[in-house]
Amino acid sequence: MPQQNHRRSPITRALEKTWRYLRQVTGDAAYENYVKYCAAKESNSNPAATAIMTRAEFYRDALKRKYSTINRCC
């Protein structure tokens, strides 16, 4: 059986970087960023102090924060 090459091509890497960038810009990666933030914060402080929200709870909280304030100029 021939040995497979596990290295990715430059095009594949460029597409992956573009996909990650688009997810960050559109806010699609917000939950993953939140989990990373909580993990970093947890390692620096008391682990029992913060409970990480589920994806559904995070989404509901984001919607509540977005629509609970007046967002208009006049």
Side-chain angles (χ1 to χ4, degrees):
M1 183 171 230
Q3 191 175 22
Q4 293 181 347
N5 188 358
H6 293 291
R7 293 183 352 190
R8 295 184 307 248
S9 71
I11 294 172
T12 304
R13 284 182 289 181
L15 287 173
E16 288 173 351
K17 284 183 179 183
T18 303
W19 182 249
R20 283 193 304 268
Y21 172 76
L22 285 173
R23 289 191 75 227
Q24 291 294 330
V25 170
T26 61
D28 190 40
Y31 181 73
E32 288 84 5
N33 294 339
Y34 163 74
V35 171
K36 286 179 189 176
Y37 169 78
C38 287
K41 185 177 174 183
E42 196 171 274
S43 66
N44 294 333
S45 65
N46 184 5
T50 57
I52 297 176
M53 290 187 275
T54 64
R55 188 177 293 269
E57 291 170 336
F58 179 81
Y59 179 70
R60 280 192 299 268
D61 183 59
L63 286 178
K64 185 175 76 174
R65 281 184 283 120
K66 182 176 182 178
Y67 292 113
S68 65
T69 61
I70 298 173
N71 293 328
R72 58 180 180 207
C73 63
C74 331

